Amino acid sequence: MGEKGKLLDFLGRSVLFKNLPESDLRKISLMFETIDLPMGEVLFYEKENSSDMYLVLEGKVRASLFDEHGNELVLAELGPGEFIGEMSMIDQLPRSATVIAQEPTKLAMLRRETFLKILRDNPDIAINVIKALVARLRRTDDMVEALAFRNVESRIVKFLVEAGRERGVMEEGKYKLRKMTHRDLASRIGSSREAVTKALKTLTFKGIIEERGNFWLVSPDAEEDIDP
Ligand code: CMP
């Protein structure tokens, strides 16, 4: 299958474009430009003025906020079938976050005017966009809840249990997760490297997290064992 054929097949299975007639998909697929991003490359920076939208075809990108010391807060990781850059595309305000490739990544880019025309012509796609935005708002609410009401230990356990549930690798009835650096874990739960190091020590001491070589083991109901 050629590059355009692959894109067509992909669009037909993506959140935004599924259930569209093949003739419409074919037209839409011609409007995308594909872009390859090496791992670690920035697609765009927070506050930048640009308004194109992208669909992830392969790989993974992160939308993050950085403070003046370079500390990162990861808002979302987006993989194949998900879109990125829709906020500035819709309101034409500067980018709300910095987007960086987490692995070698292939994206399909749509110019703002082209996407707006597609939305006008296909109300079903506009509904799919709204559904996807609502799902992101729910995930963000969940993150705000954790930042406001949970301590660092509780946030780590919540993050690991959710990651374990998504990846689904079990050992002795526990989720088995490859260890992350403390800095990386801090950027996923909105904390500092130092606070994460301290909290992990407490959690392993209490047996809530078990270290096994390069992996952490955590029980699916570990959240019941800690105070928020
Ligand atoms: P935009 O503001 O154009 O550029 C940054 C992008 O990061 C943004 O569009 C969204 O695609 C994405 N993004 C920003 N905040 C979130 C969030 N809370 N959840 C998921 N994606 C987000």
mmCIF file of all heavy atoms in Angstrom, residues 174-191:
data_model
loop_
_atom_site.group_PDB
_atom_site.id
_atom_site.type_symbol
_atom_site.label_atom_id
_atom_site.label_comp_id
_atom_site.label_asym_id
_atom_site.label_seq_id
_atom_site.Cartn_x
_atom_site.Cartn_y
_atom_site.Cartn_z
ATOM 1 N N LYS A 174 0.102 -8.327 40.252
ATOM 2 C CA LYS A 174 0.402 -6.894 40.329
ATOM 3 C C LYS A 174 0.759 -6.363 38.945
ATOM 4 O O LYS A 174 1.243 -7.121 38.098
ATOM 5 C CB LYS A 174 1.584 -6.655 41.271
ATOM 6 C CG LYS A 174 1.252 -6.987 42.707
ATOM 7 C CD LYS A 174 2.414 -6.648 43.609
ATOM 8 C CE LYS A 174 1.978 -6.783 45.059
ATOM 9 N NZ LYS A 174 3.067 -6.511 45.981
ATOM 10 N N TYR A 175 0.550 -5.052 38.752
ATOM 11 C CA TYR A 175 1.002 -4.445 37.498
ATOM 12 C C TYR A 175 2.518 -4.348 37.518
ATOM 13 O O TYR A 175 3.103 -3.968 38.538
ATOM 14 C CB TYR A 175 0.424 -3.037 37.339
ATOM 15 C CG TYR A 175 -1.069 -2.997 37.178
ATOM 16 C CD1 TYR A 175 -1.850 -2.174 37.982
ATOM 17 C CD2 TYR A 175 -1.704 -3.772 36.204
ATOM 18 C CE1 TYR A 175 -3.229 -2.124 37.835
ATOM 19 C CE2 TYR A 175 -3.084 -3.727 36.058
ATOM 20 C CZ TYR A 175 -3.836 -2.899 36.873
ATOM 21 O OH TYR A 175 -5.189 -2.855 36.723
ATOM 22 N N LYS A 176 3.116 -4.659 36.348
ATOM 23 C CA LYS A 176 4.566 -4.590 36.237
ATOM 24 C C LYS A 176 4.905 -3.465 35.262
ATOM 25 O O LYS A 176 4.508 -3.489 34.099
ATOM 26 C CB LYS A 176 5.090 -5.930 35.697
ATOM 27 C CG LYS A 176 6.585 -6.006 35.622
ATOM 28 C CD LYS A 176 7.019 -7.354 35.072
ATOM 29 C CE LYS A 176 8.528 -7.448 35.038
ATOM 30 N NZ LYS A 176 8.981 -8.612 34.316
ATOM 31 N N LEU A 177 5.624 -2.475 35.762
ATOM 32 C CA LEU A 177 5.917 -1.289 34.942
ATOM 33 C C LEU A 177 7.403 -1.019 34.906
ATOM 34 O O LEU A 177 8.067 -1.061 35.956
ATOM 35 C CB LEU A 177 5.231 -0.066 35.565
ATOM 36 C CG LEU A 177 3.722 -0.093 35.467
ATOM 37 C CD1 LEU A 177 3.129 0.571 36.689
ATOM 38 C CD2 LEU A 177 3.293 0.619 34.210
ATOM 39 N N ARG A 178 7.912 -0.694 33.703
ATOM 40 C CA ARG A 178 9.322 -0.334 33.605
ATOM 41 C C ARG A 178 9.547 0.959 34.388
ATOM 42 O O ARG A 178 8.738 1.890 34.299
ATOM 43 C CB ARG A 178 9.706 -0.140 32.132
ATOM 44 C CG ARG A 178 11.174 0.093 31.907
ATOM 45 C CD ARG A 178 11.537 -0.007 30.438
ATOM 46 N NE ARG A 178 11.492 -1.385 29.945
ATOM 47 C CZ ARG A 178 12.457 -2.287 30.181
ATOM 48 N NH1 ARG A 178 13.528 -1.956 30.861
ATOM 49 N NH2 ARG A 178 12.342 -3.509 29.718
ATOM 50 N N LYS A 179 10.636 0.987 35.176
ATOM 51 C CA LYS A 179 10.921 2.192 35.979
ATOM 52 C C LYS A 179 11.137 3.398 35.074
ATOM 53 O O LYS A 179 11.639 3.264 33.963
ATOM 54 C CB LYS A 179 12.184 1.980 36.808
ATOM 55 C CG LYS A 179 11.972 1.148 38.040
ATOM 56 C CD LYS A 179 13.269 1.073 38.820
ATOM 57 C CE LYS A 179 13.118 0.225 40.055
ATOM 58 N NZ LYS A 179 14.423 -0.058 40.676
ATOM 59 N N MET A 180 10.768 4.561 35.584
ATOM 60 C CA MET A 180 11.034 5.820 34.880
ATOM 61 C C MET A 180 12.039 6.586 35.726
ATOM 62 O O MET A 180 12.184 6.308 36.914
ATOM 63 C CB MET A 180 9.761 6.678 34.822
ATOM 64 C CG MET A 180 8.574 6.007 34.218
ATOM 65 S SD MET A 180 7.038 6.849 34.699
ATOM 66 C CE MET A 180 7.153 8.353 33.771
ATOM 67 N N THR A 181 12.689 7.596 35.135
ATOM 68 C CA THR A 181 13.549 8.433 35.980
ATOM 69 C C THR A 181 12.629 9.229 36.913
ATOM 70 O O THR A 181 11.451 9.457 36.602
ATOM 71 C CB THR A 181 14.378 9.429 35.147
ATOM 72 O OG1 THR A 181 13.488 10.352 34.524
ATOM 73 C CG2 THR A 181 15.203 8.718 34.076
ATOM 74 N N HIS A 182 13.186 9.634 38.059
ATOM 75 C CA HIS A 182 12.372 10.380 39.020
ATOM 76 C C HIS A 182 11.921 11.715 38.423
ATOM 77 O O HIS A 182 10.833 12.198 38.691
ATOM 78 C CB HIS A 182 13.161 10.584 40.322
ATOM 79 C CG HIS A 182 13.437 9.279 41.018
ATOM 80 N ND1 HIS A 182 14.028 9.195 42.244
ATOM 81 C CD2 HIS A 182 13.186 7.988 40.644
ATOM 82 C CE1 HIS A 182 14.134 7.916 42.599
ATOM 83 N NE2 HIS A 182 13.632 7.170 41.639
ATOM 84 N N ARG A 183 12.793 12.290 37.568
ATOM 85 C CA ARG A 183 12.422 13.557 36.920
ATOM 86 C C ARG A 183 11.225 13.345 35.982
ATOM 87 O O ARG A 183 10.290 14.135 35.948
ATOM 88 C CB ARG A 183 13.623 14.103 36.143
ATOM 89 C CG ARG A 183 13.314 15.350 35.327
ATOM 90 C CD ARG A 183 14.558 15.930 34.691
ATOM 91 N NE ARG A 183 15.395 16.617 35.657
ATOM 92 C CZ ARG A 183 15.167 17.853 36.092
ATOM 93 N NH1 ARG A 183 14.138 18.537 35.643
ATOM 94 N NH2 ARG A 183 15.960 18.407 36.968
ATOM 95 N N ASP A 184 11.263 12.249 35.232
ATOM 96 C CA ASP A 184 10.177 11.959 34.287
ATOM 97 C C ASP A 184 8.866 11.707 35.039
ATOM 98 O O ASP A 184 7.811 12.230 34.667
ATOM 99 C CB ASP A 184 10.576 10.734 33.445
ATOM 100 C CG ASP A 184 9.901 10.763 32.088
ATOM 101 O OD1 ASP A 184 9.415 11.840 31.707
ATOM 102 O OD2 ASP A 184 9.859 9.711 31.429
ATOM 103 N N LEU A 185 8.972 10.933 36.116
ATOM 104 C CA LEU A 185 7.764 10.657 36.903
ATOM 105 C C LEU A 185 7.218 11.971 37.482
ATOM 106 O O LEU A 185 6.004 12.220 37.462
ATOM 107 C CB LEU A 185 8.098 9.651 38.020
ATOM 108 C CG LEU A 185 6.952 9.173 38.905
ATOM 109 C CD1 LEU A 185 5.776 8.650 38.089
ATOM 110 C CD2 LEU A 185 7.430 8.065 39.862
ATOM 111 N N ALA A 186 8.129 12.847 37.939
ATOM 112 C CA ALA A 186 7.707 14.146 38.492
ATOM 113 C C ALA A 186 6.945 14.959 37.443
ATOM 114 O O ALA A 186 5.922 15.587 37.745
ATOM 115 C CB ALA A 186 8.925 14.927 38.985
ATOM 116 N N SER A 187 7.414 14.907 36.191
ATOM 117 C CA SER A 187 6.762 15.701 35.136
ATOM 118 C C SER A 187 5.376 15.138 34.797
ATOM 119 O O SER A 187 4.533 15.833 34.257
ATOM 120 C CB SER A 187 7.632 15.761 33.880
ATOM 121 O OG SER A 187 7.581 14.519 33.206
ATOM 122 N N ARG A 188 5.130 13.855 35.130
ATOM 123 C CA ARG A 188 3.818 13.265 34.846
ATOM 124 C C ARG A 188 2.806 13.528 35.941
ATOM 125 O O ARG A 188 1.610 13.403 35.731
ATOM 126 C CB ARG A 188 3.937 11.744 34.633
ATOM 127 C CG ARG A 188 4.887 11.313 33.538
ATOM 128 C CD ARG A 188 4.587 11.977 32.216
ATOM 129 N NE ARG A 188 3.196 11.833 31.822
ATOM 130 C CZ ARG A 188 2.741 10.830 31.083
ATOM 131 N NH1 ARG A 188 3.561 9.922 30.629
ATOM 132 N NH2 ARG A 188 1.469 10.765 30.761
ATOM 133 N N ILE A 189 3.294 13.861 37.157
ATOM 134 C CA ILE A 189 2.339 14.036 38.263
ATOM 135 C C ILE A 189 2.376 15.453 38.827
ATOM 136 O O ILE A 189 1.766 15.730 39.865
ATOM 137 C CB ILE A 189 2.598 13.014 39.402
ATOM 138 C CG1 ILE A 189 4.009 13.207 39.992
ATOM 139 C CG2 ILE A 189 2.403 11.580 38.930
ATOM 140 C CD1 ILE A 189 4.113 12.717 41.404
ATOM 141 N N GLY A 190 3.118 16.363 38.177
ATOM 142 C CA GLY A 190 3.161 17.752 38.634
ATOM 143 C C GLY A 190 3.877 17.894 39.954
ATOM 144 O O GLY A 190 3.352 18.485 40.906
ATOM 145 N N SER A 191 5.093 17.333 40.049
ATOM 146 C CA SER A 191 5.858 17.447 41.289
ATOM 147 C C SER A 191 7.332 17.705 40.947
ATOM 148 O O SER A 191 7.668 17.909 39.786
ATOM 149 C CB SER A 191 5.685 16.154 42.092
ATOM 150 O OG SER A 191 6.358 16.258 43.317
#
